[in-house]
Amino acid sequence: MYVIVAGAGKVGVNLTRELLGQGHEVTLIENRRQRYQGIEQLLEHNILYGDASELWVLERAGIERAEMVIAVTGDDEDNILICQVAKEKYGISRIIARVNNPSNRSHFDLLGIKPVVSATELILRLLEHEVPHHKLVHLLDLEEEEIEIIEIRLDEKSPVVGRTVGDLDTPDNTLVISIIRDGRGMVPNATTVFQAGDDILAVLDPQREEELKQIFTPS
Amino acid sequence: MFVLIVGCGRVGSSVARSMLADGHTVSCLDQDPESHARLEVGLDTSWEDSGGQFTVGTALETQALEEAGVAKADAFVAATNGDNTNIVISQIAQRRYEVDTVIARILDPLRAEWYREQGLLTICPTRVAIEMLEDKLRRAADPTSLDAGTAEFADSPPAGGNE
């Protein structure tokens, strides 16, 4: 696959190296002269000097035949513009944009730039998983497909403790898929009994989240 | 009308003063607090006493845009020194806040042209400078064709000098 990567920061360079290692053809574009010179030797003909938000630079990189454009510069407006142009002007259907400042996330959404990757958001999410602030943690959100996987911690006050999975009256479009007990995951059956301290994994339609939460947590 | 100008450099501040003098409500947003001084060049009173508004903040911050009054703006001018910033915030003004008139200053002629084709009102000072230079040179090369090219400037903004 031919991939164009915009921005040769640490993310861009490592990504390019990995993609090359996997046998893909990659052009990395960098507009800071010094940075470009610093990695030119490492990447040789796989790096191009120029501003990836200039159309002629993208054309020079061969955007017409690119199958994917990844914008990982340190500027959110540049990443938005590069992806917007790639998608709308050059018809590249596969794009990935990096969000530097999570508060700019809504701008990417507004302009139809997706999927996006935000290291800050990812770390915050991991942090939430490790040190749950709430009893409910999102493990996976597929917004487009309207499905998510959540984790709920049961404490001793949970109304389901002592009851079996089969006893539950769970709403449509929700399913308990796993129970993590004492650090080990298992796939429950109808006779499995919930215990305090269990982490419940459930797959569900995001709209059902509140209903499911009511079932597992004390009101 | 209520005019919001983002980017208070030479262009933004001049347009802001002119619009205020024309009797419009004018609000400026710039990340540099020092740019406020530019608004008062040639004014007898302070910018605020003259009726203007000034907000410090970056253009992509929703909160700053809202504080500067984007929700009630009739016209929005994106005149920061970053083409991509101008392009992105113009689209935000258009799509999220549904501002009637949105104008983006874009220095790069290629980007300006493409976004104009997509329906954005763009001003490209570089394009104007290129056309004026070409015209002057053509006249110098052939003084008999004095009319050449003059007509196409009729609709162009009086730019170039204050860029």
Side-chain angles (χ1 to χ4, degrees), chain A residues 136-197:
Chain A
L136 188 149
V137 180
H138 285 238
L139 298 182
L140 175 78
D141 294 296
L142 298 174
E143 283 166 29
E144 206 63 348
E145 293 80 2
E146 293 183 12
I147 198 100
E148 62 179 18
I149 296 180
I150 58 169
E151 179 184 306
I152 300 175
R153 163 71 52 94
L154 302 185
D155 61 19
E156 61 282 358
K157 290 192 219 107
S158 167
V160 301
V161 167
R163 295 173 62 194
T164 65
V165 173
D167 281 344
L168 289 191
D169 185 18
T170 49
D172 286 348
N173 279 322
T174 66
L175 181 69
V176 172
I177 51 173
S178 180
I179 295 175
I180 300 171
R181 183 173 296 163
D182 303 325
R184 284 185 60 93
M186 59 169 161
V187 178
N189 58 38
T191 60
T192 309
V193 179
F194 290 109
Q195 296 180 8

Side-chain angles (χ1 to χ4, degrees), chain B residues 127 129-140 152:
Chain B
R127 182 82 253 159
I130 291 168
E131 283 168 8
M132 290 179 84
L133 275 167
E134 287 171 351
D135 181 67
K136 293 251 187 294
L137 285 171
R138 288 198 179 110
R139 285 171 194 233
E152 67 190 82

Side-chain angles (χ1 to χ4, degrees), chain A residues 7-42:
Chain A
K10 288 198 179 73
V11 176
V13 170
N14 287 318
L15 186 63
T16 300
R17 225 171 16 195
E18 292 293 321
L19 287 170
L20 287 170
Q22 289 176 17
H24 297 292
E25 184 190 354
V26 187
T27 297
L28 175 63
I29 307 177
E30 171 58 45
N31 69 341
R32 291 165 299 173
R33 184 89 205 162
Q34 271 201 318
R35 180 74 188 158
Y36 165 77
Q37 284 167 332
I39 45 187
E40 196 187 359
Q41 283 211 313
L42 179 76

Side-chain angles (χ1 to χ4, degrees), chain A residues 1-182:
Chain A
M1 177 163 74
Y2 181 44
V3 184
I4 293 178
V5 178
K10 288 198 179 73
V11 176
V13 170
N14 287 318
L15 186 63
T16 300
R17 225 171 16 195
E18 292 293 321
L19 287 170
L20 287 170
Q22 289 176 17
H24 297 292
E25 184 190 354
V26 187
T27 297
L28 175 63
I29 307 177
E30 171 58 45
N31 69 341
R32 291 165 299 173
R33 184 89 205 162
Q34 271 201 318
R35 180 74 188 158
Y36 165 77
Q37 284 167 332
I39 45 187
E40 196 187 359
Q41 283 211 313
L42 179 76
L43 293 169
E44 295 174 348
H45 60 274
N46 294 110
I47 183 160
L48 177 70
Y49 174 61
D51 179 351
S53 54
E54 293 218 43
L55 308 186
W56 66 273
V57 173
L58 286 174
E59 284 174 16
R60 208 164 172 190
I63 190 158
E64 284 92 350
R65 64 181 188 88
E67 286 154 90
M68 182 172 236
V69 171
I70 304 175
V72 289
T73 79
D75 275 308
D76 286 337
E77 47 269 63
D78 291 5
N79 294 342
I80 290 176
L81 184 119
I82 292 162
C83 286
Q84 189 172 44
V85 164
K87 196 174 135 188
E88 294 176 20
K89 180 169 168 59
Y90 298 102
I92 314 291
S93 55
R94 279 182 271 189
I95 53 168
I96 298 176
R98 171 188 182 185
V99 178
N100 293 279
N101 180 348
S103 65
N104 287 337
R105 173 71 190 259
S106 64
H107 304 326
F108 287 78
D109 294 344
L110 178 75
L111 302 181
I113 309 299
K114 62 187 170 193
V116 298
V117 178
S118 163
T120 315
E121 278 183 357
L122 283 175
I123 291 169
L124 284 175
R125 189 169 290 189
L126 285 173
L127 192 91
E128 198 193 15
H129 179 69
E130 293 299 319
V131 191
H133 194 69
H134 308 287
K135 294 197 177 81
L136 188 149
V137 180
H138 285 238
L139 298 182
L140 175 78
D141 294 296
L142 298 174
E143 283 166 29
E144 206 63 348
E145 293 80 2
E146 293 183 12
I147 198 100
E148 62 179 18
I149 296 180
I150 58 169
E151 179 184 306
I152 300 175
R153 163 71 52 94
L154 302 185
D155 61 19
E156 61 282 358
K157 290 192 219 107
S158 167
V160 301
V161 167
R163 295 173 62 194
T164 65
V165 173
D167 281 344
L168 289 191
D169 185 18
T170 49
D172 286 348
N173 279 322
T174 66
L175 181 69
V176 172
I177 51 173
S178 180
I179 295 175
I180 300 171
R181 183 173 296 163
D182 303 325

